[in-house]
Amino acid sequence: MAVVAPEWLTRHGGELRQSKDGRSWSAYFAGQLQYVLLPLPAKGAHSCRITQTINGKRLDGGKTYPSPDAAAQGGLEELREALGW
């Protein structure tokens, strides 16, 4: 899956890195890992688990998407909304 860092993330000094296994993405701010996004099967479709790394808090809203790529992009949008940007 190819997921590109959205403009809002880079504008706020963020960086998106794909995991070594290619199944998840990590969002970094100021060089520090802050969030992990992991597309998962859900309800016959896909969702994106969004976890804040410093406390394990889940930020995802339970939305579903038609594919893992769409789930990753949707997860980034859910993260943007959770951050209020």
Side-chain angles (χ1 to χ4, degrees), residues 20-38:
K20 291 180 183 181
D21 67 6
R23 295 180 47 223
S24 64
W25 287 265
S26 299
Y28 289 77
F29 290 94
Q32 300 294 313
L33 175 61
Q34 299 292 317
Y35 304 95
V36 174
L37 294 89
L38 176 64

Side-chain angles (χ1 to χ4, degrees), residues 52-65:
Q52 188 172 11
T53 60
I54 61 168
N55 59 14
K57 182 179 177 184
R58 297 271 303 270
L59 302 176
D60 44 293
K63 296 179 181 179
T64 58
Y65 305 92

